Amino acid sequence: MTAPRLDRGDYGLLLLGLLGEREMYGYEVVSELRARSTAVIDLPEGTVYPALRRLERDGLVRARWVDVEGAPRRRYYALTTAGERALTEGRESWHRFTRAADQVLGG
Amino acid sequence: MTAPRLDRGDYGLLLLGLLGEREMYGYEVVSELRARSTAVIDLPEGTVYPALRRLERDGLVRARWVDVEGAPRRRYYALTTAGERALTEGRESWHRFTRAADQVLGG
DNA sequence: TCACCTACCTAGATGTACTAGGTAGTGTAG
DNA sequence: CTACACTACCTAGTACATCTAGGTAGGTGA
């Protein structure tokens, strides 16, 4: 019964977009996404952490542990060169797609 | 190794968008999508036919067989009332999403 | 003591796209 | 008359991402 939602894709590109600005850790990514999109994009942690792992597995991001005083340690993620390239390409194909979709949906 | 693609969602909404304009049959949907999006959205038949079936199963479209002289018969699909409502809602949430995504990706 | 927040993680279910086929009818070029 | 191409439909199986629903652990404040 649920209506079809075009916004259910591979969210990896959004994570690349955030990490393209600065190094971030997983939990920060979750709250940044929510803040920046005024809660429109509200990915649960169970979605974000596996997604970051996939990006790492595919060589698009690099991770490092950082100890923090008086808090659990954080796993910071940063783009690799391949990640930056993927972000650029992904952004372009995303814009191509939105233009095409608006052509179909009526912009 | 493949780069993450934000444009892999549930394409059902696009089909609703097409059918919102006029009744169409499956094969027509495939070629219309390709034509209208200048081949950016190129869904294979193996994607479109099952998607139409799902929309029908969910009560968003209604199907009828039409005999054609000198050609294989066609299965025409049209929106139901629920389908029109789903299209309106889907369009809105799609626009909310693109705005939010551009906020993250850098528009 | 209890609740809550940060910060990370995973197993399993669900669901969709896509691959790679298949059937059948019509028209056409060699 | 044969081979190819095009229309028009269909399905089984695979791959993969989201999401649910948990869990672990350290720290803070009532």
Side-chain angles (χ1 to χ4, degrees):
Chain A
M1 246 289 261
T2 35
R5 295 179 49 190
L6 201 47
D7 55 346
R8 293 257 174 110
D10 177 354
Y11 292 136
L13 182 59
L14 287 180
L15 306 189
L16 288 186
L18 282 182
L19 299 176
E21 294 179 22
R22 68 164 189 276
E23 209 184 17
M24 283 188 203
Y25 56 97
Y27 201 83
E28 191 182 8
V29 166
V30 173
S31 25
E32 267 293 307
L33 264 183
R34 205 168 314 166
R36 229 181 262 221
S37 69
T38 38
V40 171
I41 302 171
D42 191 2
L43 300 183
E45 299 169 36
T47 297
V48 171
Y49 286 114
L52 287 170
R53 290 310 193 97
R54 280 195 298 275
L55 293 176
E56 188 183 10
R57 181 201 61 198
D58 296 341
L60 304 181
V61 303
R62 194 184 359 245
R64 65 190 182 95
W65 283 105
V66 173
D67 285 321
V68 182
E69 295 183 62
R73 62 190 190 146
R74 301 168 175 169
R75 195 164 164 79
Y76 273 87
Y77 290 90
L79 292 192
T80 62
T81 314
E84 285 168 20
R85 196 166 46 241
L87 173 56
T88 306
E89 287 170 17
R91 237 196 298 247
E92 282 168 18
S93 91
W94 166 243
H95 286 135
R96 264 197 306 278
F97 178 74
T98 53
R99 270 195 300 274
D102 287 343
Q103 207 71 25
V104 172
L105 283 179
Chain B
M1 244 290 259
T2 36
R5 295 180 48 189
L6 201 45
D7 55 345
R8 294 252 176 115
D10 176 353
Y11 291 134
L13 182 59
L14 288 179
L15 307 188
L16 288 186
L18 283 182
L19 299 177
E21 294 179 23
R22 69 166 189 274
E23 211 184 16
M24 284 188 200
Y25 55 98
Y27 200 84
E28 193 182 7
V29 166
V30 174
S31 25
E32 267 293 308
L33 263 183
R34 206 168 312 164
R36 228 181 264 220
S37 69
T38 38
V40 171
I41 302 172
D42 192 2
L43 301 182
E45 299 169 36
T47 296
V48 171
Y49 286 114
L52 287 171
R53 290 310 193 99
R54 280 193 299 274
L55 292 175
E56 189 184 9
R57 180 201 61 194
D58 296 343
L60 304 180
V61 303
R62 192 183 2 243
R64 66 189 181 97
W65 283 106
V66 173
D67 284 322
V68 182
E69 294 182 64
R73 62 190 189 145
R74 301 167 175 169
R75 195 163 165 79
Y76 274 88
Y77 290 91
L79 291 193
T80 60
T81 314
E84 285 169 20
R85 198 167 45 242
L87 173 56
T88 306
E89 287 169 18
R91 235 194 301 243
E92 281 167 20
S93 90
W94 166 244
H95 287 135
R96 264 198 305 278
F97 178 75
T98 53
R99 270 195 300 275
D102 287 344
Q103 206 72 24
V104 172
L105 283 178

